[in-house]
């Protein structure tokens, strides 16, 4: 026994010294993390602003305030990655450069990320317990974003768009000359309108209404209750329209805003969580974004559904 | 050392509790149709969707090719062989997205069929099935009103 243990004990000191040296050494690998100027800070009622500043600003603003323990490598490497990625998706210091609709959409997304427990990152709140968002804080934030949601009466510009779209739309004839292709290579699938509806949503956060369609593979998976993970070949198409309300309180689809796809192939789309993502906007079906990086937007917002194969919809069996 | 490990594990467990309130991989059972009804066998396609904010309902209108064609041509263009189906649900808050409402309990399925023309206009049959089991309703209250409503629906743009 001791003959075996002995050499180990003799190795312990040098090994410890080596680790110590390595620890000191890596402290020199310290990619700088700058705080660029604040060009248009987030404005909101004090109670709301305080919560966001306390819980989110370290990663989502140019006013990152690292504590000493955040600056120690290797923790520092992860922290600085979080800050870089966090700022790229949402930066409260450049808030005013976002158009008003985009600001609102980001706030609803932020509140939903908090409700789902995805933000602030739990690795972070472990070391920074003061950044935790309480149930009381969530109530304050929910009330604030809800106060931003208003459905303006349909203005004439919107009605004209809807009327023009309807005139130009001939279900049998209208086929785009060339099939539009998203920057990630995903080609528009015109057949979605022949798929089955698996759910609908009224989005009072942004005044739209949606139908979620599923292809034959999706419908079979629903019937078999094999939906987590969804089988390869599953496709969803989510269509969004502006809402149009009449005097009786009936809300029906007005202008077509976009169709979004998710197509499951865990090999081909391994890099994007097993799904091919695409969005085509307006009735002209213009591919969203200039580069394939748009998929990080889709994935960020679908991330809280990671235990549900990144799918929000609870499908209806027809 | 050991104490901090336990504390860390405890904290992690606590933070995990706040995540994902909605069980994964579940169907919307309350909104689902009784399988015996075989709705999909009707072979209909989505024509449009209607929400009633006062009643808190959401509905999807389906139709066959004839119904689609008639709806495109506008009110009064009813022709023989049309099938229209309106599924209506009570709304519920979306458990996965604050800011959305989704179908909750299934409320009704209204089914309209047009037959060969009588006096210039096609004969219309209307049935209303209600509740989770889609039981056929016997009374004929509001039938004419509902038929007019269904035949007046405009298609949603689906490019």
């Amino acid at each position: 026994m001791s003959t075996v243990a002995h050499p180990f004990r003799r190795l312990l000191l040098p090994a410890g010294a080596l680790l110590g040296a390595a620890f000191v050494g890596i402290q020199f690998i310290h990619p700088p993390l700058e705080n660029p100027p604040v060009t248009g800070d987030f404005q909101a009622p004090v109670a709301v602003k305080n919560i966001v500043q306390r819980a989110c600003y370290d990663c989502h603003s140019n006013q990152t305030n690292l504590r000493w323990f955040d600056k120690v490598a290797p923790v520092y490497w992860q922290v600085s990655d979080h800050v870089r990625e966090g700022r790229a998706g949402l930066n409260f210091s450049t808030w005013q450069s976002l158009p008003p609709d985009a600001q609102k959409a980001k706030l609803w997304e932020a509140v939903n990320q908090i409700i789902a427990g995805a933000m602030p990152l739990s690795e972070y709140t472990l070391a920074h317990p003061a950044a935790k968002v309480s149930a009381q804080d969530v109530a304050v934030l929910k009330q604030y974003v809800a106060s931003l949601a208003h459905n303006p009466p349909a203005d004439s510009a919107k009605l004209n768009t809807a009327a023009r779209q309807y005139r130009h739309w001939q279900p049998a004839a209208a086929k785009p000359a060339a099939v539009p292709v998203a920057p990630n290579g995903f080609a528009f699938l015109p057949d979605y309108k022949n798929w089955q509806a698996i759910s609908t949503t009224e989005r009072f956060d942004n005044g739209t209404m949606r139908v979620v369609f599923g292809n034959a593979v999706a419908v079979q998976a629903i019937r078999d209750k094999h939906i987590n993970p969804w089988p390869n070949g599953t496709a969803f198409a989510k269509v969004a329209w502006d809402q149009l309300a009449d005097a009786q309180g009936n809300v029906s689809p007005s202008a077509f805003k976009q169709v979004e796809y998710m197509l499951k192939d865990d090999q081909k789309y391994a890099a994007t969580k097993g799904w091919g993502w695409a969005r085509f906007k307006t009735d002209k079906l213009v591919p969203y974004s200039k580069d394939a990086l748009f998929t990080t937007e889709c994935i960020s917002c679908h991330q809280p559904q990671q235990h549900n194969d990144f799918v929000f919809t609870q499908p209806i069996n027809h | 050392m050991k104490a901090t490990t336990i504390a860390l594990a405890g904290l992690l467990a606590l933070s995990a509790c706040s995540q994902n309130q909605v069980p994964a991989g579940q169907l919307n059972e309350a909104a689902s149709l009784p399988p015996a009804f075989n709705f999909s066998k009707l072979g209909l396609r989505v024509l449009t969707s209607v929400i009633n904010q006062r009643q808190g309902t959401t509905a999807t209108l389906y139709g066959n090719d004839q119904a689609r064609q008639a709806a495109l041509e506008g009110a009064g263009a009813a022709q023989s062989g049309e099938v229209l189906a309106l599924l209506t649900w009570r709304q519920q808050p979306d458990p996965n997205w604050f800011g959305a409402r989704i179908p909750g309990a299934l409320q009704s399925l209204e089914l309209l069929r047009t037959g060969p023309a009588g006096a210039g206009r096609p004969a219309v049959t209307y049935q209303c099935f209600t509740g989770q089991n889609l039981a056929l309703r016997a009374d004929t209250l509001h039938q004419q009103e509902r038929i007019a409503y269904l035949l007046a629906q405009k298609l949603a743009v689906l490019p």
Side-chain angles (χ1 to χ4, degrees), chain A residues 55-205:
Chain A
C56 322
Y57 265 44
D58 269 353
C59 299
H60 292 293
S61 82
N62 296 343
Q63 295 175 286
T64 304
N65 173 21
L66 295 188
R67 277 16 77 90
W68 67 265
F69 46 82
D70 296 319
K71 294 183 184 161
V72 180
V75 171
Y76 176 77
W77 302 340
Q78 200 199 19
V79 170
S80 53
D81 273 356
H82 281 161
V83 175
R84 250 183 294 276
E85 281 173 41
R87 283 177 182 166
L90 169 66
N91 191 335
F92 287 107
S93 297
T94 56
W95 189 250
Q96 304 305 334
S97 66
L98 291 177
D101 277 353
Q103 291 181 354
K104 275 192 214 165
K106 278 286 176 208
L107 285 179
W108 282 94
E109 183 183 354
V111 171
N112 273 288
Q113 295 263 355
I114 295 170
I115 294 171
M119 289 288 151
L121 294 175
S122 50
E123 302 101 290
Y124 171 81
T125 46
L126 265 182
H128 305 81
K132 284 216 175 113
V133 180
S134 68
Q136 171 69 32
D137 295 336
V138 172
V140 169
L141 296 176
K142 275 174 134 177
Q143 203 186 2
Y144 176 60
V145 292
S147 77
L148 302 175
H150 64 295
N151 286 347
D155 57 59
S156 55
K158 269 192 173 167
L159 288 176
N160 286 340
T161 309
R164 180 192 52 73
Q165 283 193 357
Y166 194 79
R167 272 199 313 277
H168 287 256
W169 174 63
Q170 285 294 330
K175 292 210 175 60
V179 175
V181 179
N184 56 344
F186 190 119
F188 173 71
L189 301 169
D191 202 35
Y192 75 90
K193 36 196 172 298
N194 302 324
W195 299 351
Q196 288 193 38
I198 60 162
S199 194
T200 53
T201 38
E202 175 193 2
R203 290 282 297 263
F204 58 87
D205 53 351

Side-chain angles (χ1 to χ4, degrees), chain A residues 112 117 126 166 169 192-194 200-202 204-205 225 241 247 249-251 253 304 307-308 312 315 317-318, chain B residues 11 19-20 24-25 28-29 32-33 45 49 51-54 91 96-103 155 157-159:
Chain A
N112 273 288
L126 265 182
Y166 194 79
W169 174 63
Y192 75 90
K193 36 196 172 298
N194 302 324
T200 53
T201 38
E202 175 193 2
F204 58 87
D205 53 351
K225 299 195 179 176
W241 298 273
N250 284 311
V251 178
H307 304 297
N308 199 33
F312 278 99
N317 196 359
H318 283 79
Chain B
L11 273 174
Q19 296 199 8
N20 250 69
N28 187 342
E29 297 283 358
S32 289
L33 278 62
R45 281 194 271 165
S49 166
I51 294 158
N52 192 300
Q53 288 173 332
R54 272 180 225 158
Q91 288 184 307
N96 288 325
W97 189 263
F98 175 64
R101 296 186 192 100
I102 59 169
L155 300 184
V157 174
L158 286 167

Side-chain angles (χ1 to χ4, degrees), chain A residues 228-260:
Chain A
N228 192 22
W230 290 83
N232 280 342
T234 297
F236 302 117
K238 187 176 82 169
V239 176
W241 298 273
D242 275 330
Q243 297 179 8
L244 179 64
D246 72 8
Q248 284 75 47
N250 284 311
V251 178
S252 49
S254 165
F256 170 92
K257 296 192 78 85
Q258 61 188 27
V259 55
E260 294 174 300

